[in-house]
Amino acid sequence: MLFPAPPAPVFPPDQSANVEGSLRYEDCAQDGRLMPIALPPSMGGLWRTVIAKHPGARNSVASGVIPILTRMTLTTLDQPIRIDRPIEARCGFLLAHDLEGDEVSRLFMNVWSDVHGIAGRIGPRQVEGVLSRAGTLFAEHTFTRLFARPDQRKVTKLEVDGYPLVPETRYAAPPPKTAQEAPAGATWLDELAADAVDTVFSLDQTDANQHVNSLVYIRTFLDAAQRRIAATGRSMKLRSKAVDIAYRKPCFAGDRVTAQLRLFSLDDGIGAAGLMVGDDGKPRCYVRVLFGP
């Protein structure tokens, strides 16, 4: 992956699935390459067919302990795929813990998804290709007592049937602020500065979780990054190739956010990294994106 993320493990049989899905026209660029923002919906099949039926997951939710999305790392490849053919998402999840000293500090449900599509693209000469890998997702979910008092939300044990008390796997979760750092080998091109355009969310940007949808922050930051790149006079024949986003605090309809970002160069690509800030000056998320030809 273009931004660091743990490799997919060998999943237990009851924690993985291969799920068929479909693409929308906006999910691929004009040359057939997949957009990073098209990857997160591939997790839906895993949630519907595996996680929702898993006894540990059902008992955990019933007890008020819920895995909340806290980070996503998305990478797409240069392999073009056909949007008029089904895709296959090869997904799985694994529970993990982190430590602070010798003590368990947090528990996680980590999800991986590899998206495969039929090689090729729509055009006058349509050739039926083979099923080919087009993108990879890693999604960190942190267990929390979402509706408890703030001092009671932290979860360090899963005291439900179907899940281990403390998962065996250790996951050293990177600090959220690492998602505003330039990747290894990159060079900063300018200083951190606010985008000229603020965003005020409406109900159109919310979802059934009662807050602004997680993909909206990516779209908003991509828009800000593209404005900054266009202002440099560079060619805009670019495609987002990778996204790394760490979520800190939800937004709601009526909230205003501003992207603060700076550009970096990496090999033949250009990227942007920074954060989305609310009117209170507190970060809503940290984001970095990489564009390439």
Side-chain angles (χ1 to χ4, degrees):
M1 301 185 77
L2 296 174
F3 294 123
V10 176
F11 300 109
D14 63 341
Q15 293 178 201
S16 64
N18 290 352
V19 183
E20 187 176 283
S22 300
L23 295 174
R24 301 172 300 175
Y25 271 83
E26 65 190 71
D27 290 334
C28 291
Q30 64 185 29
D31 59 9
R33 292 181 294 173
L34 192 65
M35 301 293 191
I37 203 168
L39 289 166
S42 70
M43 291 189 289
L46 180 71
W47 281 92
R48 290 189 300 272
T49 63
V50 176
I51 298 176
K53 299 176 181 179
H54 194 284
R58 293 171 66 90
N59 292 332
S60 176
V61 171
S63 73
V65 175
I66 301 171
I68 298 300
L69 180 65
T70 45
R71 190 163 190 154
M72 283 197 298
T73 308
L74 316 171
T75 298
T76 54
L77 309 178
D78 285 334
Q79 172 64 59
I81 59 173
R82 295 185 56 159
I83 57 100
D84 60 341
R85 296 290 187 271
I87 59 169
E88 180 180 278
R90 302 172 185 177
C91 313
F93 78 93
L94 193 70
L95 304 186
H97 72 274
D98 200 359
L99 296 175
E100 188 172 327
D102 295 329
E103 300 294 324
V104 174
S105 58
R106 288 178 293 172
L107 300 182
F108 301 92
M109 172 188 286
N110 290 332
V111 174
W112 290 261
S113 176
D114 272 351
V115 172
H116 294 68
I118 298 298
R121 63 189 179 97
I122 292 180
R125 298 181 180 179
Q126 299 190 25
V127 178
E128 195 75 12
V130 298
L131 195 64
S132 304
R133 187 165 175 255
T136 298
L137 167 150
F138 169 74
E140 170 197 289
H141 300 73
T142 304
F143 281 100
T144 183
R145 293 182 181 86
L146 185 61
F147 303 108
R149 295 199 320 246
D151 62 341
Q152 296 178 346
R153 290 176 185 166
K154 187 175 182 178
V155 175
T156 57
K157 295 180 181 179
L158 294 171
E159 300 175 295
V160 297
D161 291 337
Y163 276 164
L165 188 64
V166 176
E168 179 181 353
T169 299
R170 168 78 192 279
Y171 165 61
K177 284 188 177 181
T178 57
Q180 68 171 351
E181 297 174 355
T187 301
W188 290 116
L189 298 177
D190 59 8
E191 297 300 321
L192 187 71
D195 184 44
V197 179
D198 291 344
T199 299
V200 181
F201 296 122
S202 71
L203 289 175
D204 284 347
Q205 284 82 46
T206 61
D207 62 23
N209 285 323
Q210 310 298 310
H211 53 64
V212 171
N213 182 268
S214 59
L215 299 186
V216 168
Y217 302 95
I218 298 176
R219 292 190 182 97
T220 304
F221 193 84
L222 285 172
D223 287 346
Q226 290 164 1
R227 281 191 289 270
R228 183 69 58 87
I229 295 170
T232 70
R234 294 172 181 263
S235 168
M236 292 306 292
K237 290 184 178 180
L238 297 171
R239 173 186 72 97
S240 58
K241 300 176 67 174
V243 175
D244 187 28
I245 180 167
Y247 298 97
R248 298 300 295 154
K249 184 178 179 182
C251 288
F252 304 91
D255 286 354
R256 180 187 302 270
V257 295
T258 303
Q260 297 181 4
L261 67 154
R262 60 191 304 197
L263 299 180
F264 62 82
S265 63
L266 181 64
D267 299 327
D268 62 345
I270 186 170
L275 64 164
M276 305 289 294
V277 179
D279 280 343
D280 58 2
K282 295 182 179 180
R284 298 306 190 259
C285 59
Y286 300 99
V287 198
R288 52 186 173 180
V289 300
L290 180 63
F291 299 88

